[in-house]
Amino acid sequence: MKIIAVIGLGLIGGSILKGLKNKGYNLVGTSRNPETVKKALEQGLISGTSINEADVIFICTPINITIDTIKEVAKTAKPDAIITDVASIKGFIMDFVNENSLPINFIGGHPMAGTEHKGLDASFATLFNEAKWVLTPSKQTCSNDMQTLEQIINELGAKVIIADPYEHDKAVALISHMPLFLSQTLLGFVQNHTNSELALELAASGFRSMTRLAHTNSELAADILSGNKANVLETLEEFIKYLKNKGADYGAV
Amino acid sequence: MKIIAVIGLGLIGGSILKGLKNKGYNLVGTSRNPETVKKALEQGLISGTSINEADVIFICTPINITIDTIKEVAKTAKPDAIITDVASIKGFIMDFVNENSLPINFIGGHPMAGTEHKGLDASFATLFNEAKWVLTPSKQTCSNDMQTLEQIINELGAKVIIADPYEHDKAVALISHMPLFLSQTLLGFVQNHTNSELALELAASGFRSMTRLAHTNSELAADILSGNKANVLETLEEFIKYLKNKGADYGAV
C-alpha cells in the first residue's frame, strides 16, 4: 500500500487527507502543533506521524517555512519519494530546488482552491473538486513521477496544469494576489471613511464578496504579499493606471 | 384583506411576492412584459393585475423608469394608498416627490439585498431574510404609514433603517456602487492583460468573489452608475488615492 505523508495539517493539508481517505493509501502526517496531530490521529485522518517511509510527501506548511521544510524532508525521506508542496508562490521555491542539488525528487505544486478559513477544522474532502492544480517540475523531475502525482491530484477531484514557475507567479499576481491586496485595501478604505457608519450598517452581499479575500488567514496573506511582491506591485501599478483611465472615461461621459 | 401590489416582477418584485405569499394579503402585480405577468398568474404569485384598489404599492421597475411609474401610479392609485419603491438611488426620487405635490403617500425604499441574477425566475422568498431595508420618508409621510410599511418589510424578514436620501446615496456609493465599478474594472483589466490566458485558466473562488458584482444585471448596473455618478466618482477618486498610498507603503516596506 502506497504511503502518502502530509506535513502541515491546516486547511490544505487536512483537505488532502480527507479527500484521499478510503482511496487505498496509508496516510500519515505531522504538524508544528502537537494538538493538531492528536486531533488528526483521533479523527482517523492519519495512521501515524513518521514520514520516513512515505512514497509521496505533500508539504502544506506556511509558505515562509516551505524551504526549511524541504531541507528537513530531504534528510529523512526515502531516496525515491516524490516530494511536492502547495505554496502559492513557486519561483523562489523552484530556484532553491534547482540551485541546490538535494537528493530528492521535488515537483512544485499549487492547488487553486481555498477558503477564508484556516486550520484542520476548516478542511473538507471536496475542497479541490473541479479545481486547477498547478505543477512546476524541477530539472530532475521524470515523467513517471509526474504521472504518479497527477493521479493522486485527480483523485482529489482536481485537474493538473503544468506551468513555468515564473509564469505561474505572474498569473496568480493578476487573479489572486493583487486582488487580495485590493480587497484588503477596500475594506480599510471603507472602515476609515467619514461615511462609514451608515455605509457599514447597509453593507450587504456585494460588499461581502468584495472583501471576502481581506479575511484570508493573515499569516498566509502576509506571506503571499511579501513573497510575490515584485509581481503584485507591478500588477497593482498597472491596475491603478487602468482604474484611473476607466474613472476618467466614466466621469467624462 | 389588505391588497398589496407589485409593479415590476423581476428579482426584487418577484421576491417580495414570494415572501408575502400565504401571509394574509391579496397580492396583485403588473410588468412591462406580458409573458412575465402570465407566468406570475400561472404560478399563483398574483391574483390579478389591477393596482387601483391596492393599499400598498411596491414599484420595482428599473431605476430609470421609477419616476415615470410614480407619475402613472399617482393617477390611478387610491388616495390613501402607500406607495414605495426599491431603487438603489434615493436622492433624485425623493427630490421629485417632494418638489411635485402629487396626490400620493410616497415613502422611498431600498432593500439591501440582491444577487447577480435577474428576472422573476431568479426571485425567491428568502431574498430579504436578515437584510437591511432603507426607508426615506417624504415631507408628507405620516407615522401610521411608516408603521404599516415597516410591518410588511419585517414580514419579509428585513429590518428597516430610516435614512436621509442623500446620506443613503453616499453610503451606498461607498459599499455598493463604487465596489461595483471596481469589480467591473478588475474583470476588464484581467481579461485585457497580456498574462490573461494562464491567469484566467487558474482563476478560482477569490477571483470569482472579486468579480461577482461585475456580473450584475447590466441594465441595473448602468442605471446605478449613471444615477449615482457624482457620489461614485468622488468615492472612486478617494479610493484611488488611498490605494496609491497603500501601494507605496507596501512597495517601500
Side-chain angles (χ1 to χ4, degrees):
Chain A
M1 190 187 278
K2 204 168 257 180
I3 302 174
I4 295 182
V6 174
I7 302 176
L9 306 177
L11 172 66
I12 300 294
S15 296
I16 291 173
L17 289 171
K18 290 176 181 175
L20 293 177
K21 205 176 174 181
N22 303 323
K23 296 243 161 97
Y25 298 111
N26 181 6
L27 302 172
V28 298
T30 64
S31 163
R32 290 176 294 176
N33 185 341
E35 287 299 312
T36 306
V37 173
K38 198 175 154 221
K39 198 186 279 180
L41 283 164
E42 282 168 4
Q43 293 179 0
L45 298 176
I46 54 175
S47 65
T49 60
S50 167
I51 62 157
N52 299 355
E53 298 305 315
D55 300 291
V56 179
I57 301 172
F58 285 87
I59 298 176
C60 304
T61 64
I63 302 172
N64 67 352
I65 57 170
T66 298
I67 284 181
D68 284 344
T69 309
I70 294 172
K71 286 182 199 165
E72 282 302 310
V73 170
K75 291 178 196 160
T76 55
K78 285 201 304 186
D80 62 345
I82 299 168
I83 298 162
T84 187
D85 75 327
V86 297
S88 323
I89 313 166
K90 300 265 65 81
F92 78 101
I93 292 172
M94 297 316 297
D95 280 351
F96 170 79
V97 170
N98 285 323
E99 287 161 15
N100 295 272
S101 296
L102 299 171
I104 55 168
N105 307 310
F106 186 85
I107 301 170
H110 180 204
M112 303 303 302
T115 74
E116 67 274 38
H117 305 295
K118 67 170 181 175
L120 184 62
D121 290 342
S123 68
F124 55 99
T126 57
L127 176 62
F128 308 110
N129 253 3
E130 308 287 322
K132 309 292 172 63
W133 193 307
V134 176
L135 290 183
T136 58
S138 63
K139 281 197 241 165
Q140 307 113 299
T141 302
C142 69
S143 64
N144 264 357
D145 288 348
M146 283 295 279
Q147 276 170 30
T148 301
L149 186 53
E150 180 163 5
Q151 193 197 317
I152 296 168
I153 290 168
N154 291 342
E155 286 178 294
L156 288 166
K159 187 192 158 198
V160 164
I161 309 269
I162 295 169
D164 171 83
Y166 283 96
E167 293 304 314
H168 163 275
D169 290 357
K170 283 182 188 184
V172 294
L174 191 56
I175 49 91
S176 176
H177 302 173
M178 185 276 282
L180 162 66
F181 185 85
L182 195 62
S183 182
Q184 290 178 335
T185 307
L186 179 66
L187 182 61
F189 172 71
V190 171
Q191 285 173 336
N192 290 305
H193 199 278
T194 48
N195 296 336
S196 69
E197 196 177 345
L198 179 60
L200 288 171
E201 194 172 3
L202 301 185
S205 61
F207 189 66
R208 281 195 296 278
S209 283
M210 293 298 286
T211 54
R212 188 176 72 82
L213 284 178
H215 301 290
T216 301
N217 158 6
S218 57
E219 185 181 5
L220 174 61
D223 280 357
I224 284 172
L225 293 179
S226 74
N228 203 14
K229 194 170 184 171
N231 287 318
V232 176
L233 270 176
E234 186 181 337
T235 310
L236 181 64
E237 273 169 33
E238 289 169 1
F239 179 66
I240 290 173
K241 202 172 157 188
Y242 190 90
L243 185 61
K244 279 177 83 164
N245 286 336
K246 287 283 165 192
D249 289 350
Y250 169 46
V253 175
Chain B
M1 190 188 278
K2 203 168 259 175
I3 303 174
I4 295 182
V6 174
I7 302 175
L9 306 177
L11 172 67
I12 301 294
S15 295
I16 292 173
L17 289 171
K18 290 176 182 176
L20 293 176
K21 204 175 174 179
N22 303 323
K23 296 243 161 97
Y25 298 112
N26 181 5
L27 302 172
V28 298
T30 64
S31 164
R32 292 175 292 176
N33 184 343
E35 287 299 312
T36 307
V37 173
K38 197 173 155 223
K39 197 185 279 180
L41 283 164
E42 282 168 2
Q43 294 180 357
L45 297 176
I46 55 175
S47 65
T49 61
S50 166
I51 64 157
N52 300 356
E53 298 304 317
D55 300 291
V56 179
I57 301 172
F58 286 87
I59 297 176
C60 304
T61 63
I63 302 172
N64 66 351
I65 59 169
T66 298
I67 285 180
D68 284 345
T69 309
I70 294 172
K71 287 182 197 164
E72 282 301 310
V73 169
K75 292 178 194 160
T76 54
K78 285 200 304 185
D80 62 345
I82 300 168
I83 297 162
T84 187
D85 75 327
V86 297
S88 323
I89 312 166
K90 299 266 63 81
F92 79 101
I93 292 171
M94 297 315 297
D95 281 351
F96 170 78
V97 169
N98 286 323
E99 286 161 16
N100 296 272
S101 297
L102 299 170
I104 55 166
N105 307 310
F106 186 85
I107 302 170
H110 180 203
M112 304 303 301
T115 73
E116 66 274 38
H117 305 295
K118 67 172 181 174
L120 184 62
D121 290 342
S123 68
F124 54 100
T126 56
L127 176 62
F128 309 110
N129 252 4
E130 309 286 324
K132 308 292 172 64
W133 192 306
V134 176
L135 291 182
T136 59
S138 63
K139 280 197 240 163
Q140 307 112 300
T141 302
C142 69
S143 64
N144 265 357
D145 288 348
M146 284 294 279
Q147 277 168 31
T148 302
L149 185 53
E150 179 162 6
Q151 194 197 316
I152 296 167
I153 289 168
N154 291 343
E155 286 178 293
L156 288 167
K159 188 191 159 198
V160 165
I161 309 269
I162 295 170
D164 171 82
Y166 284 97
E167 293 303 315
H168 163 275
D169 290 356
K170 283 182 190 186
V172 294
L174 192 57
I175 48 91
S176 175
H177 301 174
M178 185 277 280
L180 162 65
F181 185 86
L182 195 62
S183 183
Q184 290 178 335
T185 307
L186 179 65
L187 182 62
F189 172 71
V190 171
Q191 285 173 336
N192 291 305
H193 199 278
T194 47
N195 296 336
S196 69
E197 196 177 348
L198 179 60
L200 288 171
E201 193 172 3
L202 300 186
S205 62
F207 190 66
R208 281 195 295 277
S209 283
M210 293 300 285
T211 53
R212 188 176 74 82
L213 284 178
H215 301 290
T216 301
N217 157 7
S218 57
E219 185 180 5
L220 174 61
D223 280 358
I224 284 172
L225 293 178
S226 74
N228 203 14
K229 193 170 184 172
N231 287 318
V232 176
L233 270 176
E234 187 181 337
T235 310
L236 181 64
E237 274 169 32
E238 289 168 2
F239 179 66
I240 290 173
K241 202 171 155 187
Y242 190 91
L243 185 61
K244 280 178 84 165
N245 286 336
K246 287 285 165 190
D249 289 351
Y250 169 47
V253 174

